[in-house]
Amino acid sequence: MIFPKIKVLLSHGRQNIPDLTQVELSEEFRGRPVLSASDDMTAVEAAAALCPTGAITTKPFTLDLGRCLFCGECARRAPQNIRFTNDYRLATTSREALVVKVGDDKIDFCPANVDKAKAKLFRSSLKLRQVSAGGDASIEMELNATGNVNFDFGRYGVEFTASPRHADGVVITGPISSAMAEPLKICYDAVAEPKYLFVCGSEACSGGLFAESKAVNREFLAGHSVDLWMPGAPTHPMTFIDGVMTLLGRKKRE
């Protein structure tokens, strides 16, 4: 019967987000961290020792979002020094900007790094080829969600394509395993110039838990310039959307 299905549909309410430039996530979302120094840094030292990716340093006191797994254990160990906010605006054009310091109240997008001619070219239409270079499918699922009924990023002209020949850029997810190093290069080379290179997820940004693994080969990133770094474990759809829209000049980072 169709009537029960209609009843369920109506119970869901309005699911789409009318304006992707005006989104506030739940307070429970673990986004940008805020660091505070104190006279006694014992708890921070314990949190640093606990961090499996070495994202926290104590001298100076920093937290590298490119390595962070957003597990929140450091905030539980050192609540006076580390607090996660619901700010999803984490994407940046600079890898160094992902290192959060005491007193930082935002992630600097570093707009000086933006290629304005390329951004103007792809402002209204951007097709991306996503490459899972050893990923666990979590970030891949979040990127798929950017095109669902909630976010519908396609209305802004940003969509994923199945072929690099039809793409304007590549989005890398995963730590880049040795088995995917050559396929990644082949895919990137197949995309016509000018093109974008995005790195999405903490594993892609730094290798994450697998950074020291012999099964990982990150030489590709050493020879190519990344246009957008997007941390997260996994990366929230709004982090990706905000980063891409800011890069293309569709919105400004406050």
Side-chain angles (χ1 to χ4, degrees), residues 133-194:
D136 62 1
S138 61
I139 297 175
E140 291 82 350
M141 287 191 292
E142 295 298 292
L143 291 180
N144 284 341
T146 63
N148 67 17
V149 67
N150 300 87
F151 302 100
D152 189 20
F153 201 19
R155 65 185 133 151
Y156 290 88
V158 182
E159 297 176 314
F160 290 96
T161 183
S163 170
R165 298 292 186 184
H166 301 158
D168 305 311
V170 170
V171 182
I172 303 174
T173 60
I176 309 182
S177 62
S178 297
M180 283 301 299
E182 184 177 359
L184 171 60
K185 181 181 183 303
I186 293 173
C187 177
Y188 182 77
D189 290 344
V191 180
E193 295 284 357

Side-chain angles (χ1 to χ4, degrees), residues 33-208:
V34 174
L35 307 185
S36 303
S38 61
D39 293 334
D40 184 3
M41 298 290 283
T42 304
V44 175
E45 293 171 357
L50 182 70
C51 182
T53 59
I56 302 172
T57 62
T58 56
K59 296 180 181 180
F61 181 24
T62 65
L63 196 161
D64 186 352
L65 292 184
R67 296 184 179 185
C68 182
L69 300 180
F70 292 82
C71 65
E73 189 62 33
C74 58
R76 288 186 282 271
R77 289 297 182 100
Q80 294 183 341
N81 306 101
I82 304 173
R83 176 178 62 87
F84 283 90
T85 70
N86 66 337
D87 186 359
Y88 56 82
R89 295 167 296 180
L90 308 177
T92 177
T93 60
S94 168
R95 175 65 179 88
E96 291 73 22
L98 292 179
V99 180
V100 179
K101 305 174 182 63
V102 175
D104 287 353
D105 60 356
K106 66 177 181 178
I107 301 300
D108 187 0
F109 191 76
C110 301
N113 296 335
V114 176
D115 185 328
K116 293 182 174 56
K118 191 159 59 173
K120 182 179 180 180
L121 179 65
F122 297 120
R123 180 182 174 88
S124 300
S125 177
L126 177 66
K127 309 305 176 186
L128 299 168
R129 176 69 172 111
Q130 185 268 320
V131 178
S132 180
D136 62 1
S138 61
I139 297 175
E140 291 82 350
M141 287 191 292
E142 295 298 292
L143 291 180
N144 284 341
T146 63
N148 67 17
V149 67
N150 300 87
F151 302 100
D152 189 20
F153 201 19
R155 65 185 133 151
Y156 290 88
V158 182
E159 297 176 314
F160 290 96
T161 183
S163 170
R165 298 292 186 184
H166 301 158
D168 305 311
V170 170
V171 182
I172 303 174
T173 60
I176 309 182
S177 62
S178 297
M180 283 301 299
E182 184 177 359
L184 171 60
K185 181 181 183 303
I186 293 173
C187 177
Y188 182 77
D189 290 344
V191 180
E193 295 284 357
K195 55 189 171 183
Y196 277 122
L197 178 61
F198 300 160
V199 173
C200 193
S202 297
E203 286 183 355
C205 287
S206 67

Side-chain angles (χ1 to χ4, degrees), residues 239-250:
T239 298
F240 177 81
I241 290 170
D242 171 78
V244 173
M245 292 186 72
T246 304
L247 180 71
L248 297 179
R250 303 292 297 267

